[in-house]
Amino acid sequence: MKRTTVFSSGKSAFDLLSDPTFLQEWSDLYEGCSWGTVYQSRDFVKIWYETYREQFVPVILTMLDPKSRLCGILTLASNRSTGRLVYAGDVLSEYQVWLARNDAEEVFISEALELLGREFPRQVLRLKFLPPGTPVGPLQKTTWTRNTCFLTPSSRPLIGPSDEHRVDQSLKSKKVKLNRLKRLGTVSFKKVARDDFPEVLERAWPLFEFRQIEQFNSSPFFSDSQLKPFLLSLAKHSDVLHMTVLQVDEVIVAWLLGTQSNGFLHLVATGYSPFHARHSPAMLHMLMLAKSLFQEQRVFDLTPGGDKYKDQLATDYEKTYTLHFFPRLRAAIEDQQTRELANKALKKIIRVAVRNPALALRTSFLGRRRDRQFPNSPSTNGPQISFRLHKVGRVQPEDQNERSDEVEKNKVIDLLHYEPTPGKTRRDFVNDAWRFIEQGADVYTLVRNAHLIASCWIVSGEKTASAEYARSGVPAETALLLGFYAHASADESKMLNRLLQKWASDTASAAEIAELNIGVPETGIFQTIGVPDDGTHKIPFIALNKREGIAENRLEHPSVVSGGGDGAETVHCRSASTA
């Protein structure tokens, strides 16, 4: 009797997933497959199928031996709205590959793809990052697979258990940064227990999202409403996930989420607090994690991707491949990703060839440098500005329904609730926010009904004593208002006063003084800020004059950049107003 390849989709696939015998044979197959990763485990795949069942139809290809025992499996899914064929887990599966017993590894994938091509003749399948050891030889054995499949190489960076000395040296080189963190409070590195996972994830994911938006214009948690439920279910019902955090007192300054399998910890997501970025908390955290994995004799898999920090950390590399399967020529022609890549490559070659023919071929094969300035990054050149001095005192809110505790300080998730406008995307806003924070500013925010209503960025007097603020136009050690944002529906004057009163209340309470000075930029919207002419400083001390015609959200800010040749620092302003 021959082996039989079976196609199961929809209800028949879910019936398989509820069959205890099938699930046990799947687990046995996974344990015995040398190239399998956690992304082929029944726990990961089954929970993903169940969580995303409203968006994806499960597609499972299996091979049964003459005794009807499972000897090969490939888990896929079809997008309900687009029909697109993906590996189970889609973008959440770092390594996408089939499982097969030794006696079936030479035939399973070829027969499975042939059957898949008959069922989905116009769909392209990509299995990204086939792990090392995957038997790709069978794909070259027949004319059909040679014509329908091709592989593109890549590599995955690793920190192996034999590289402890190198990691120790890296930690020593960052001792100064670690000591600076310790001055802020008690520094601790710990693995998150299963029971604590939901609470820690809720505090940690905004740090990841904030950086993803700034760096890649990507928002995985906002764009995928099922991502958080999937992770919570995976943490509750399996041992797949592994989370660690680096904290200063109770504040998370860096975190990392990984998956664990077969002596590996695979990086899934990492993030860090922008307010502590100058201390390199993410790098410190990953080095500490690598050191802890040495004790378990486990390999830290930084995963493919080409990120600069991965190359800085890696001590070894392994080759991986991405498999592209085009069952018909028409599928290749109609595939959107293939067309986009081809058009992009052609335009780039033509553009470079026109400018510099000698560089045409070389630049057409270069990827985007991840350490270069982003296209939307602000220019360091701009008109000089100065600040005007104003007083702010603690007052009672005019509206009794207003609560001072509505205003939060340094809460990253609040910034993620910004509502994009045609003139300013979420990424633009996050880029501005990130730059303010890099300049040492604290952010005060007001959120209502999951919408950011107002925010402002203030550099404390302690930080403005440095040389970079020397030409600000106000006395040294004076706090500076760097930026302000108000939602289109909000009263700008009222919102700015709310935020400043919160800042004044916190600062004055700590200093035990009744009123504070703050420097306000003499540019854009801030030019309308004034104090009473009679000098009595009646409440409120700072007010925005009501202006007509403000129809869109606005964000105005100065940016501190290096000045002239004498080495002094000057304050520049770059307006981000959309009005």
Side-chain angles (χ1 to χ4, degrees), residues 268-284:
V268 173
T270 183
Y272 59 92
S273 165
F275 302 100
H276 299 84
R278 68 190 67 182
H279 308 303
S280 301
M283 190 68 75
L284 284 169

Side-chain angles (χ1 to χ4, degrees), residues 75-99:
T75 54
L76 308 174
S78 175
N79 188 295
R80 290 184 183 273
S81 59
T82 66
R84 184 173 65 96
L85 202 58
V86 300
Y87 187 80
D90 198 11
V91 296
L92 302 178
S93 292
E94 187 68 30
Y95 297 104
Q96 304 178 353
V97 72
W98 58 94
L99 300 177

